[in-house]
Amino acid sequence: MALRSVISRRLTKMSWCGTRSVSTWWRNVEPAPKDPILGVTEAFLADPSPDKVNVGVGAYRDDNGKPVVLECVREAERRIAGNLNMEYLPMGGSVDMIDKTLKLAYGENSDLIKGKRIAAVQALSGTGACRVFAEFQKRFSPDSQIYIPVPTWSNHHNIWRDAHVPQRTFHYYHPETKGLDFASLMDDVKNAPSGSFFLLHACAHNPTGVDPTEEQWKEISYQFKVKGHFAFFDMAYQGFASGDPEKDAKSIRIFLEDGHLIGCSQSYAKNMGLYGQRVGCLSLVCEDEKQAVAVKSQLQQIGRPMYSNPPVHGALLVSTILGEPDLKELWLKEVKGMADRIIGMRTSLRENLENLGSPLSWEHITNQIGMFCYSGMTPEQVDRLTNDFHIYMTRNGRISMAGVTTGNVGYLANAIHEVTKPT
Amino acid sequence: MEARAADRRIATLARHLEASSLKDSHEIVSASPTSSNSSSPSVFNHLARAPEDPILGVTVAFNKDPSPSKLNLGVGAYRTEEGKPLVLNVVRQAEKLLVNDSSRNKEYIPIVGLADFNKLSAKLILGANSPAIQENRVTTVQCLSGTGSLRVGAEFLARHYHQRTVYITQPTWGNHPKVFALAGLSVKTYRYYDPATRGLNFQGLLEDLGSAPSGAIVLLHACAHNPTGVDPTPAQWEQIRQLIRSKGLLPFFDSAYQGFASGSLDRDAEPVRMFVADGGECLVAQSYAKNMGLYGERVGALSIVCKTADVASRVESQLKLVIRPMYSSPPIHGASIVATILKDRSMYHQWTIELKEMAERIISMRQQLFNALKSRGTPGDWSHIIKQIGMFTFTGLNSKQVAFMTKEFHIYMTSDGRISMAGLSSRTVPHLADAIHAAVTRGV
């Protein structure tokens, strides 16, 4: 038996070999660099030190440093488990989920929604929404570029690059003030050719935590009107920034009031804690219902050869939570709770650093908003934090405040002080 | 609202014109035509409405039809005898386990997906004792069902493989050409279906693959060819394998129906395993949409079988770069269900039983439809209905006949004459048989 199989294996190898020598197709494949953000968590997990702290990836943690499944989500899971079928969603995704999601961004009583002027599809969280938009932009505005703020979430660059849309940058963060470089931002907006496409973070800018004020947003909106620019909002943190989803959507509402036909990416990864479910929405405001129907149909054509239709489970959770009044109320409470804890940690980290006698200014920690704090530390300082103190963060000095707890804030402050104090 | 916006603009203008402005000096902003009531036209004003997807559009049309006798034989989604979608008992069981496990969270899973899901999926298609697995030469990444696995594989090939042409069967699933084209590959076809015999055009297949340039990618349906239901025999597969290896072509398997074709998971995986056994490289896209009924959860896996473990590891790192800017990481829910079932002996066993039941109901529908046409004396040879395999039957009806059946009998199917046997029941077979009979005899 064994002999026969050896012989037959030899024979099949020979018949395959034929005149070809054994070769590999992938000899030339280089190992890819690790993702700068997700690679941090990999390194953290591999570290055996009991003191290790992960302030890398932007995933919320409770005060014990544990991931959180919101109560409203657990309850929604219980209500839907085993009850429904798992049929394909329509190509554009769950109509009910989209409906409720648009209301969050555009307002409960939005005329645009009532007038059916918004083309919207369910997307694979924020990444998926941005990618489908980028592909759509390439297809229907093939000569356009995308203006991306400096700095931004690193994956934004990958997304528009893979969609083959050329990129340009605009000024955003001011390293000296650790705030917004508003003057340069406005210059870039004015100097860009009319009708340019801009990527804007609706609130809680990632990675800096620096947002324009309401007044500044109004000026930006006005200048966009003058130049006829297209505004694409990436809103990944609605509710997470201030604790109030309505307040966090202010920038978008300002643009809508000014009549802009915006695009918007929404994600439920952070504000509903649905990270791994990959639930989000891409919407484009159109001139009328007919155009919205056409645009939606074209968005679907992009999704179909990518994944056919989006996953049902996360969408069901969102629909259930937003659709049942008791769950929606619970969600709003829990989102505020998360935002408040982060704001508390900002205060605590800053106080700790000041009490340690750090001569540097740390007020940007409490000025910035949302999940991230752009500490201003250099890559070398970050490396020291990792190597000497087992603290993991991205090398641009971005701290995920969600990873800070009352248990580790002292340790973290001390370590930061050690690596930043003048020698 | 308009008045407020206008007021604000005037206020902003006024501030800019003020000599004592605290901001850096801005150029004087004069009134622009765009500051009037009308907004500038949409940058997407020139868009035409896209045509409905040929397959998913069928369900859209079906849903609109008010007729009580309407029948949806369009999309390949399994239906019970009662015409209802089916969630497998073992899947419901798995879901309950997951819900009740309070230690579970909804964190991002890795870019490549759940590790245990990936390992178990590779074992399912390649066999638990596959030397390729034991030698760590297989890299598996969780993707969004079959479509997502194909797309990620195609994007990878477009970036890293020296040959840019993929050969797909004539005909094939409607979405295949777009998946590969959008990934940047050029798509050619090879002969597959023979309308005369309603079987395999084996000679044509060998000729076309034989004249493909060395190294070209070849898309193969692992079993239950979609849309024709025509599969090569084991002997024919062996010849195909030899031809592909001798020409150095790269096989890319689409395995969307493992277990659904014959009722046996191992039997349906044989063609793939045959290729892996010869030590060569290949890609495999797996879907759990049909065989676990997880359609909407979008669960699948892409495996790339490589020459060495080192190559497999480098390949995995490059796959991550394709996935990250597409959707960052795959959805957790469906993969968790699959992993729960595959890793538990009794749940796995339960699954194989439910899967066999689905496959057998379809085989029985084939027999019933064939009998019904025979008893009506419908002209033509309808034996292909029982010879073809899997969820679909390529009836041989043309688009005029299909349109007729939709209009007169409210039967919904794709215009290429493909019917999803899964959408039939003992109760509805007579209606379909009547419709086919009418379409064929009325000389439509």
Side-chain angles (χ1 to χ4, degrees), chain B residues 420-434:
Chain B
S420 170
M421 301 307 290
L424 276 178
S425 67
S426 311
R427 195 182 47 85
T428 54
V429 161
H431 182 59
L432 176 61
D434 288 340

Side-chain angles (χ1 to χ4, degrees), chain A residues 16 23 25 29-30 35 77 82 86-87 127 140 190 258 276 278 297-298 304 307-309 312, chain B residues 8 23 26 46 48 50 53 79 92 106 147 151 245 281 296 298 307 314 318 324 327-329 332:
Chain A
W16 154 67
S23 67
W25 304 121
V29 174
E30 293 292 314
D35 183 275
E77 287 274 26
M86 291 159 171
E87 294 291 285
T127 308
F140 293 102
K190 283 179 203 150
D258 280 352
R278 321 310 295 127
S297 73
Q298 295 291 352
R304 174 58 158 160
Y307 46 82
S308 280
N309 37 60
V312 65
Chain B
R8 205 174 52 240
K23 299 186 181 64
H26 296 260
H46 56 288
D53 182 275
R79 292 285 176 271
R92 286 203 195 286
K106 297 191 178 308
T147 308
R151 180 62 179 266
R245 293 309 195 195
E281 296 177 315
R298 320 309 295 127
K307 268 295 152 53
R314 282 183 272 138
Q318 291 292 349
R324 174 64 159 153
Y327 49 83
S328 280
S329 58
I332 186 176

Side-chain angles (χ1 to χ4, degrees), chain B residues 70-81:
Chain B
K70 66 180 179 176
L71 194 51
N72 188 357
L73 303 178
V75 75
Y78 183 81
R79 292 285 176 271
T80 62
E81 247 309 296

